[in-house]
Amino acid sequence: MGQAGEPRRRQAHDGELGAAVARAQEGDEAAFAVAYRIVQPGLLGYLRGIVGDDAEDVASDAWLEIARDLGRFKGDGAGFRGWTATIARHRALDHLRRQRVRPRSTALEQDVLDLPGAHSTHEQALESLSTERALELVRALPRDQAEAVLLRVVVGLDGPATARVLGKRPGAVRTAAYRGLKRLAGQLGAAGVTKDGPGALGESK
């Protein structure tokens, strides 16, 4: 039952976010700070999953670009979340190209054992992805799966928005997210993640 509550909470945040962005576009610096506070945690989690310890530096670069181009943005709160994720992704890929850093694929068996025990619900399993250790496991996934999981679960984008950020078809993103979560479920001992198949992600039809 918890899954129905999460989109409602996100929609409420997106309503507040959209209003803050509109005010920020009119020059309200306090409103920009509100938008930043709403978006930054998910954006930083996404970047940690891609560039690891350099996430804060990449996020800073992304926010400079977001602030610079804010006047060109058109859309609502959910759209702003997707727009900022796209900018952050471009900055992260630029960073990886410059540094020639590859996502680490270290198997952190002890860290997996330290995570909470068997999860009884899909929501609890996904919640575990917000931990630093779980982000390390996400980074070990193939890139397409890692990004799909991070954008859906950590940033909070819906399926079509995730597809737009990644420049892929929604079906391909849905499959990548499902495969990534299925692999993580095995590592985290969270059988509930895979129980409902691809639709378990609440994918928009």
Side-chain angles (χ1 to χ4, degrees):
M1 303 298 287
Q3 278 181 303
E6 181 58 34
R8 279 199 295 273
R9 282 198 300 277
R10 192 173 298 140
Q11 284 162 10
H13 277 305
D14 283 345
E16 180 186 357
L17 177 58
V21 169
R23 292 196 308 275
Q25 287 179 313
E26 294 170 357
D28 186 334
E29 291 184 13
F32 186 82
V34 170
Y36 173 86
R37 282 197 300 273
I38 293 172
V39 172
Q40 172 69 353
L43 213 58
L44 196 57
Y46 168 61
L47 290 170
R48 282 197 183 111
I50 301 178
V51 300
D53 293 340
D54 295 324
E56 296 206 11
D57 290 340
V58 174
S60 294
D61 289 343
W63 279 105
L64 285 173
E65 184 173 340
I66 291 163
R68 185 193 71 201
D69 295 343
L70 185 63
R72 301 212 312 251
F73 170 73
K74 289 181 173 58
D76 58 8
F80 184 75
R81 211 183 282 277
W83 183 67
T84 56
T86 300
I87 290 173
R89 181 174 190 260
H90 289 160
R91 297 289 69 76
L93 296 180
D94 286 345
H95 175 81
L96 291 176
R97 277 192 288 269
R98 282 196 306 271
Q99 302 296 322
R100 303 215 180 276
V101 172
R102 297 183 184 280
R104 284 172 291 175
S105 57
T106 313
L108 302 174
E109 289 90 350
Q110 188 56 48
D111 285 340
V112 176
L113 292 175
D114 289 343
L115 288 168
H119 295 285
S120 58
T121 69
H122 178 70
E123 294 79 14
Q124 286 174 307
L126 297 186
E127 189 176 327
S128 72
L129 296 185
S130 65
T131 68
E132 291 294 327
R133 289 192 294 262
L135 282 173
E136 289 287 348
L137 295 176
V138 173
R139 293 185 72 204
L141 293 172
R143 171 68 64 76
D144 64 329
Q145 295 178 17
E147 287 203 77
V149 169
L150 289 164
L151 288 169
R152 293 298 314 277
V153 177
V154 181
V155 179
L157 300 185
D158 64 14
T162 299
R164 284 193 294 274
V165 171
L166 297 178
K168 295 185 176 181
R169 295 187 312 278
V173 171
R174 180 167 54 243
T175 299
Y178 171 59
R179 287 177 177 163
L181 282 173
K182 186 175 182 181
R183 186 176 298 194
L184 288 170
Q187 293 173 313
L188 296 170
V193 172
T194 61
K195 186 168 55 180
D196 297 319
L201 287 172
E203 190 75 43
S204 298
K205 301 293 187 223

